Amino acid sequence: QVQLQESGPGLVKPSETLSLTCAVSGYSISSGYYWGWIRQPPGKGLEWIGSIYHSGSTYYNPSLKSRVTISVDTSKNQFSLKLSSVTAADTAVYYCARLNTAMVRYWYFDLWGRGTLVTVSS
Amino acid sequence: SSELTQDPAVSVALGQTVRITCQGDSLRSYYASWYQQKPGQAPVLVIYGKNNRPSGIPDRFSGSSSGNTASLTITGAQAEDEADYYCNSRDSSGNHFGMVFGGGTKLTVL
């Protein structure tokens, strides 16, 4: 059974860098799939942050691209998110998820972590 | 990047049929996927591709698509279907490796 688990600080100060890790169990990241980060501000909708392939290829939301870095550590079977220069607007529940890209006409997030709330406040 | 538009809220009487729609240019090229999210929980995939349901999703959930509009239909809505529903697809702008979500539809079962 494949499971994803987010971890990281729940409180980050403004202007600092948010760092989260997603540990994958039950499946080897090196075997394939894209892996992604999605966030949801309190009371609002979902926003795709970016995706990474096990080889390290990354794709980012253009609105966040200048501040986002997603990386993968296959030895630890995990991938990570860094978001720099955070403000209160970055307060959200952050989810990691597996992105299924088997079919060209449709991609979808088939497995999700439980999410972790990150609050940006001094 | 592309945008997907959903009605903010929809209601349905218990046992009746409801359709939740999602509009956007990317849907002319790509199928939508649909996610159900209940309060305090992570989203759960309910429909992907032309009309595919993951294991464990009841067959009262179905999907369809026409032009720039994708639809999620719940036939015989149950009280436990009350939730937020989000559509999602590949982004047809730029390099097509991006993903885009709709703003979500809050479904109330009366």
Side-chain angles (χ1 to χ4, degrees):
Chain A
Q1 180 183 359
V2 183
Q3 292 185 317
L4 292 78
Q5 178 65 59
E6 305 90 348
S7 62
L11 181 64
V12 181
K13 290 182 168 56
S15 80
E16 295 189 345
T17 296
L18 178 160
S19 296
L20 296 174
T21 296
C22 180
V24 179
S25 58
Y27 184 85
S28 173
I29 285 182
S30 299
S31 297
Y33 282 105
Y34 277 85
W35 305 86
W37 288 97
I38 301 102
R39 71 179 183 178
Q40 184 173 37
K44 296 188 178 180
L46 301 169
E47 179 181 34
W48 172 72
I49 299 172
S51 303
I52 189 166
Y53 195 52
H54 67 86
S55 63
S57 298
T58 53
Y59 304 95
Y60 300 136
N61 186 324
S63 68
L64 298 169
K65 186 175 183 178
S66 63
R67 299 194 291 130
V68 173
T69 302
I70 297 176
S71 59
V72 64
D73 187 338
T74 54
S75 66
K76 294 183 179 179
N77 215 42
Q78 64 186 33
F79 60 103
S80 300
L81 168 70
K82 290 187 185 299
L83 181 65
S84 64
S85 304
V86 298
T87 69
D90 295 309
T91 294
V93 174
Y94 286 77
Y95 295 100
C96 60
R98 188 176 75 175
L99 178 59
N100 192 314
T101 63
M103 303 300 288
V104 172
R105 287 289 307 275
Y106 52 92
W107 291 3
Y108 52 97
F109 295 100
D110 60 0
L111 290 171
W112 294 66
R114 298 180 68 175
T116 187
L117 175 62
V118 178
T119 301
V120 179
S121 174
S122 55
Chain B
S1 58
S2 304
E3 291 186 357
L4 295 177
T5 301
Q6 298 182 241
D7 291 330
V10 171
S11 62
V12 61
L14 184 67
Q16 296 303 300
T17 297
V18 62
R19 176 174 292 182
I20 298 170
T21 61
C22 173
Q23 289 188 302
D25 286 341
S26 64
L27 300 179
R28 296 186 184 279
S29 303
Y30 302 114
Y31 288 110
S33 55
W34 291 91
Y35 306 84
Q36 176 192 70
Q37 186 180 36
K38 296 181 179 180
Q41 298 183 19
V44 173
L45 179 69
V46 295
I47 291 289
Y48 63 96
K50 192 172 184 180
N51 183 19
N52 302 300
R53 284 177 289 105
S55 174
I57 301 301
D59 61 4
R60 63 178 178 272
F61 290 88
S62 63
S64 61
S65 182
S66 178
N68 73 335
T69 301
S71 300
L72 172 70
T73 300
I74 306 174
T75 303
Q78 302 299 301
E80 61 263 33
D81 299 334
E82 185 163 292
D84 293 327
Y85 290 86
Y86 294 90
C87 60
N88 167 238
S89 80
R90 289 183 69 176
D91 189 347
S92 62
S93 64
N95 61 19
H96 291 227
F97 281 89
M99 300 293 287
V100 61
F101 283 94
T105 297
K106 182 176 182 60
L107 175 66
T108 300
V109 179
L110 304 172

